[in-house]
Amino acid sequence: NNPKVEPIRQSIINLCYKDNLMCWDLYRAMGGDRSMRQWVNSGYTAKDHIHFSKGGYEVQGQLLFDAFKKYVLIK
């Protein structure tokens, strides 16, 4: 768990909200606090808990696509 992630995440979200920008929250999409261990155990990230595997990037892409699709359908 990296305690610096949440304040940085919140700053980005606040800035996007203030400037009326779209923001996709990968941290939340991955499962939020302490979810990286599940991604490592699933083989989606390296043991360094930073770099993603090919499969991890594919999952990220699918999560982003699903979020975008959901946004477009709502609009």
Side-chain angles (χ1 to χ4, degrees):
N1 185 38
N2 184 342
K4 296 178 181 180
V5 172
E6 186 58 36
I8 292 169
R9 174 188 165 270
Q10 197 57 55
S11 294
I12 293 168
I13 291 169
N14 291 343
L15 179 67
C16 290
Y17 182 78
K18 179 179 87 58
D19 291 340
N20 199 31
L21 300 171
M22 185 180 282
C23 178
W24 180 61
D25 188 352
L26 175 60
Y27 179 75
R28 184 173 175 194
M30 288 177 61
D33 189 36
R34 303 188 190 278
S35 63
M36 185 58 82
R37 181 167 297 160
Q38 294 169 319
W39 281 65
V40 170
N41 292 341
S42 298
Y44 293 139
T45 61
K47 300 284 186 218
D48 65 6
H49 292 222
I50 296 171
H51 298 97
F52 291 86
S53 66
K54 179 181 181 288
Y57 284 115
E58 290 170 350
V59 171
Q60 277 187 51
Q62 189 64 55
L63 290 169
L64 177 58
F65 179 73
D66 291 345
F68 185 73
K69 210 168 46 170
K70 186 176 180 179
Y71 174 79
V72 170
L73 291 174
I74 291 171
K75 290 286 181 177

